[in-house]
Amino acid sequence: MASSTGSRRGAATAASTPASTPASTPAAATPPRVGEQIQRLRNERQLTLDDLSRAAGVSKSMLSEIERDKANPTIAVAWRLTNALGITLDELFAPPRAPEMIRVDGPHDIPTLSGHDGRYQLRVWGPLDLAGKFEWYELTLPGGGALVSNAHEPGTREHLTVLQGAIEIEAAATVRRLKSGDTARYAADAPHAIRNPGKAEAKALLIVIHR
């Protein structure tokens, strides 16, 4: 009788030898969603399809197809669109970044507007994408300085809190003087002015709410 030991050993060896598997095919890279990116950038800049179409020299129908990912732009068309949006081709094709949970702007990130005659300085604390809706500034007035404004859109109101010094508000043919800590609220859809009647520098928080 043949020994069963050799048979069992052979079977065990065969069982322990892994079966060969076909080589896996690498997954194809997913192309970037260029249309979605262009639409997002256009909306961030508050541009209509017509606005971007004219600025880039691309037909509105083609732009609409690109934004809906129904058509892929050529390099020439993509270049014209990025040029109109103020970005580079690399930025257009880069994968979207995860949104920042907390965004921190340093002192050098805050835009500053100064009067031509040096009579006022405005630091723009509010994000630029809220301009024309809800704005807030740090207003600095040197002695004798003033910020004189024309009427804003109907329904616009301003709220000013004096942080340092004394300030006079002129609105609706009325003048009120404020000291540090006081807050004035007034209609800004008519000509109005904010003045520093003293010699020392004055500072205030200015909030503008558009209707």
Side-chain angles (χ1 to χ4, degrees), residues 14-39:
S16 63
T17 303
S20 60
T21 56
S24 59
T25 304
T30 304
R33 298 180 65 85
V34 174
E36 188 177 283
Q37 179 87 322
I38 289 172
Q39 185 180 58

mmCIF file of all heavy atoms in Angstrom, residues 14-39:
data_model
loop_
_atom_site.group_PDB
_atom_site.id
_atom_site.type_symbol
_atom_site.label_atom_id
_atom_site.label_comp_id
_atom_site.label_asym_id
_atom_site.label_seq_id
_atom_site.Cartn_x
_atom_site.Cartn_y
_atom_site.Cartn_z
ATOM 1 N N ALA A 14 0.176 22.098 -1.811
ATOM 2 C CA ALA A 14 -0.641 22.725 -2.846
ATOM 3 C C ALA A 14 -1.612 23.718 -2.239
ATOM 4 O O ALA A 14 -1.869 24.793 -2.776
ATOM 5 C CB ALA A 14 -1.394 21.630 -3.619
ATOM 6 N N ALA A 15 -2.168 23.360 -1.068
ATOM 7 C CA ALA A 15 -3.143 24.255 -0.434
ATOM 8 C C ALA A 15 -2.502 25.524 0.056
ATOM 9 O O ALA A 15 -3.121 26.583 0.087
ATOM 10 C CB ALA A 15 -3.830 23.525 0.723
ATOM 11 N N SER A 16 -1.214 25.437 0.479
ATOM 12 C CA SER A 16 -0.569 26.633 1.039
ATOM 13 C C SER A 16 -0.009 27.554 -0.029
ATOM 14 O O SER A 16 0.437 28.637 0.263
ATOM 15 C CB SER A 16 0.557 26.210 1.984
ATOM 16 O OG SER A 16 1.554 25.509 1.278
ATOM 17 N N THR A 17 0.018 27.095 -1.266
ATOM 18 C CA THR A 17 0.544 27.946 -2.345
ATOM 19 C C THR A 17 -0.559 28.860 -2.831
ATOM 20 O O THR A 17 -1.609 28.404 -3.260
ATOM 21 C CB THR A 17 1.036 27.077 -3.515
ATOM 22 O OG1 THR A 17 2.019 26.175 -3.016
ATOM 23 C CG2 THR A 17 1.611 27.942 -4.614
ATOM 24 N N PRO A 18 -0.394 30.163 -2.686
ATOM 25 C CA PRO A 18 -1.477 31.079 -3.077
ATOM 26 C C PRO A 18 -1.709 31.028 -4.568
ATOM 27 O O PRO A 18 -0.783 30.905 -5.359
ATOM 28 C CB PRO A 18 -0.956 32.456 -2.631
ATOM 29 C CG PRO A 18 0.528 32.314 -2.584
ATOM 30 C CD PRO A 18 0.793 30.892 -2.202
ATOM 31 N N ALA A 19 -2.973 31.126 -4.926
ATOM 32 C CA ALA A 19 -3.310 31.148 -6.346
ATOM 33 C C ALA A 19 -2.880 32.485 -6.940
ATOM 34 O O ALA A 19 -2.970 33.529 -6.299
ATOM 35 C CB ALA A 19 -4.815 30.945 -6.515
ATOM 36 N N SER A 20 -2.405 32.462 -8.147
ATOM 37 C CA SER A 20 -1.975 33.703 -8.803
ATOM 38 C C SER A 20 -3.192 34.547 -9.133
ATOM 39 O O SER A 20 -4.226 34.019 -9.533
ATOM 40 C CB SER A 20 -1.194 33.370 -10.082
ATOM 41 O OG SER A 20 -2.009 32.639 -10.962
ATOM 42 N N THR A 21 -3.091 35.872 -8.906
ATOM 43 C CA THR A 21 -4.203 36.788 -9.183
ATOM 44 C C THR A 21 -3.797 37.735 -10.292
ATOM 45 O O THR A 21 -2.625 38.111 -10.409
ATOM 46 C CB THR A 21 -4.547 37.620 -7.931
ATOM 47 O OG1 THR A 21 -3.372 38.290 -7.499
ATOM 48 C CG2 THR A 21 -5.046 36.730 -6.812
ATOM 49 N N PRO A 22 -4.737 38.144 -11.117
ATOM 50 C CA PRO A 22 -4.389 39.075 -12.204
ATOM 51 C C PRO A 22 -3.959 40.417 -11.650
ATOM 52 O O PRO A 22 -4.448 40.862 -10.611
ATOM 53 C CB PRO A 22 -5.704 39.189 -12.996
ATOM 54 C CG PRO A 22 -6.776 38.798 -12.024
ATOM 55 C CD PRO A 22 -6.157 37.774 -11.114
ATOM 56 N N ALA A 23 -2.998 41.047 -12.327
ATOM 57 C CA ALA A 23 -2.511 42.363 -11.882
ATOM 58 C C ALA A 23 -3.638 43.376 -11.956
ATOM 59 O O ALA A 23 -4.393 43.411 -12.917
ATOM 60 C CB ALA A 23 -1.341 42.804 -12.769
ATOM 61 N N SER A 24 -3.763 44.188 -10.863
ATOM 62 C CA SER A 24 -4.829 45.195 -10.828
ATOM 63 C C SER A 24 -4.488 46.359 -11.738
ATOM 64 O O SER A 24 -3.335 46.768 -11.844
ATOM 65 C CB SER A 24 -5.040 45.686 -9.399
ATOM 66 O OG SER A 24 -3.844 46.237 -8.911
ATOM 67 N N THR A 25 -5.496 46.885 -12.400
ATOM 68 C CA THR A 25 -5.316 48.038 -13.297
ATOM 69 C C THR A 25 -5.459 49.311 -12.485
ATOM 70 O O THR A 25 -6.452 49.460 -11.764
ATOM 71 C CB THR A 25 -6.374 48.018 -14.408
ATOM 72 O OG1 THR A 25 -6.282 46.771 -15.094
ATOM 73 C CG2 THR A 25 -6.162 49.166 -15.379
ATOM 74 N N PRO A 26 -4.484 50.246 -12.542
ATOM 75 C CA PRO A 26 -4.615 51.483 -11.766
ATOM 76 C C PRO A 26 -5.836 52.281 -12.195
ATOM 77 O O PRO A 26 -6.162 52.347 -13.379
ATOM 78 C CB PRO A 26 -3.309 52.246 -12.100
ATOM 79 C CG PRO A 26 -2.802 51.635 -13.364
ATOM 80 C CD PRO A 26 -3.248 50.218 -13.341
ATOM 81 N N ALA A 27 -6.515 52.850 -11.182
ATOM 82 C CA ALA A 27 -7.716 53.632 -11.465
ATOM 83 C C ALA A 27 -7.357 54.883 -12.247
ATOM 84 O O ALA A 27 -6.343 55.528 -11.981
ATOM 85 C CB ALA A 27 -8.410 54.003 -10.157
ATOM 86 N N ALA A 28 -8.203 55.222 -13.199
ATOM 87 C CA ALA A 28 -7.958 56.426 -14.001
ATOM 88 C C ALA A 28 -8.169 57.660 -13.132
ATOM 89 O O ALA A 28 -9.081 57.703 -12.304
ATOM 90 C CB ALA A 28 -8.897 56.444 -15.197
ATOM 91 N N ALA A 29 -7.312 58.658 -13.315
ATOM 92 C CA ALA A 29 -7.430 59.894 -12.539
ATOM 93 C C ALA A 29 -8.698 60.628 -12.947
ATOM 94 O O ALA A 29 -9.048 60.677 -14.122
ATOM 95 C CB ALA A 29 -6.208 60.775 -12.782
ATOM 96 N N THR A 30 -9.394 61.174 -11.954
ATOM 97 C CA THR A 30 -10.610 61.935 -12.232
ATOM 98 C C THR A 30 -10.239 63.334 -12.686
ATOM 99 O O THR A 30 -9.495 64.032 -11.999
ATOM 100 C CB THR A 30 -11.480 62.022 -10.964
ATOM 101 O OG1 THR A 30 -11.758 60.704 -10.504
ATOM 102 C CG2 THR A 30 -12.778 62.761 -11.250
ATOM 103 N N PRO A 31 -10.736 63.777 -13.840
ATOM 104 C CA PRO A 31 -10.383 65.119 -14.304
ATOM 105 C C PRO A 31 -10.983 66.183 -13.391
ATOM 106 O O PRO A 31 -12.038 65.967 -12.784
ATOM 107 C CB PRO A 31 -10.997 65.194 -15.710
ATOM 108 C CG PRO A 31 -12.097 64.172 -15.700
ATOM 109 C CD PRO A 31 -11.635 63.091 -14.774
ATOM 110 N N PRO A 32 -10.324 67.324 -13.253
ATOM 111 C CA PRO A 32 -10.860 68.375 -12.384
ATOM 112 C C PRO A 32 -12.172 68.920 -12.929
ATOM 113 O O PRO A 32 -12.380 68.974 -14.141
ATOM 114 C CB PRO A 32 -9.752 69.448 -12.414
ATOM 115 C CG PRO A 32 -9.011 69.205 -13.688
ATOM 116 C CD PRO A 32 -9.071 67.734 -13.919
ATOM 117 N N ARG A 33 -13.065 69.314 -12.028
ATOM 118 C CA ARG A 33 -14.354 69.883 -12.433
ATOM 119 C C ARG A 33 -14.158 71.370 -12.703
ATOM 120 O O ARG A 33 -14.461 72.232 -11.870
ATOM 121 C CB ARG A 33 -15.394 69.628 -11.349
ATOM 122 C CG ARG A 33 -15.660 68.147 -11.102
ATOM 123 C CD ARG A 33 -16.686 67.936 -10.017
ATOM 124 N NE ARG A 33 -18.001 68.453 -10.391
ATOM 125 C CZ ARG A 33 -18.887 67.773 -11.086
ATOM 126 N NH1 ARG A 33 -18.590 66.552 -11.509
ATOM 127 N NH2 ARG A 33 -20.059 68.293 -11.378
ATOM 128 N N VAL A 34 -13.651 71.649 -13.903
ATOM 129 C CA VAL A 34 -13.290 73.021 -14.266
ATOM 130 C C VAL A 34 -14.521 73.919 -14.299
ATOM 131 O O VAL A 34 -14.494 75.064 -13.840
ATOM 132 C CB VAL A 34 -12.565 73.037 -15.632
ATOM 133 C CG1 VAL A 34 -12.320 74.458 -16.098
ATOM 134 C CG2 VAL A 34 -11.252 72.283 -15.537
ATOM 135 N N GLY A 35 -15.630 73.384 -14.831
ATOM 136 C CA GLY A 35 -16.841 74.199 -14.929
ATOM 137 C C GLY A 35 -17.348 74.643 -13.572
ATOM 138 O O GLY A 35 -17.728 75.799 -13.378
ATOM 139 N N GLU A 36 -17.345 73.725 -12.624
ATOM 140 C CA GLU A 36 -17.785 74.048 -11.264
ATOM 141 C C GLU A 36 -16.885 75.119 -10.645
ATOM 142 O O GLU A 36 -17.363 76.028 -9.963
ATOM 143 C CB GLU A 36 -17.748 72.775 -10.431
ATOM 144 C CG GLU A 36 -18.348 72.879 -9.056
ATOM 145 C CD GLU A 36 -18.324 71.539 -8.335
ATOM 146 O OE1 GLU A 36 -19.168 70.677 -8.648
ATOM 147 O OE2 GLU A 36 -17.439 71.350 -7.477
ATOM 148 N N GLN A 37 -15.587 75.015 -10.911
ATOM 149 C CA GLN A 37 -14.625 75.985 -10.380
ATOM 150 C C GLN A 37 -14.855 77.363 -10.988
ATOM 151 O O GLN A 37 -14.845 78.379 -10.292
ATOM 152 C CB GLN A 37 -13.202 75.484 -10.697
ATOM 153 C CG GLN A 37 -12.085 76.386 -10.231
ATOM 154 C CD GLN A 37 -11.657 76.115 -8.807
ATOM 155 O OE1 GLN A 37 -12.493 75.837 -7.959
ATOM 156 N NE2 GLN A 37 -10.373 76.216 -8.550
ATOM 157 N N ILE A 38 -15.084 77.419 -12.297
ATOM 158 C CA ILE A 38 -15.316 78.705 -12.972
ATOM 159 C C ILE A 38 -16.588 79.351 -12.444
ATOM 160 O O ILE A 38 -16.628 80.562 -12.174
ATOM 161 C CB ILE A 38 -15.387 78.502 -14.492
ATOM 162 C CG1 ILE A 38 -13.994 78.158 -15.042
ATOM 163 C CG2 ILE A 38 -15.921 79.752 -15.191
ATOM 164 C CD1 ILE A 38 -13.980 77.744 -16.490
ATOM 165 N N GLN A 39 -17.633 78.553 -12.277
ATOM 166 C CA GLN A 39 -18.897 79.099 -11.766
ATOM 167 C C GLN A 39 -18.726 79.649 -10.352
ATOM 168 O O GLN A 39 -19.239 80.727 -10.020
ATOM 169 C CB GLN A 39 -19.974 78.021 -11.782
ATOM 170 C CG GLN A 39 -21.354 78.538 -11.384
ATOM 171 C CD GLN A 39 -22.393 77.445 -11.421
ATOM 172 O OE1 GLN A 39 -22.257 76.430 -10.736
ATOM 173 N NE2 GLN A 39 -23.430 77.637 -12.220
#
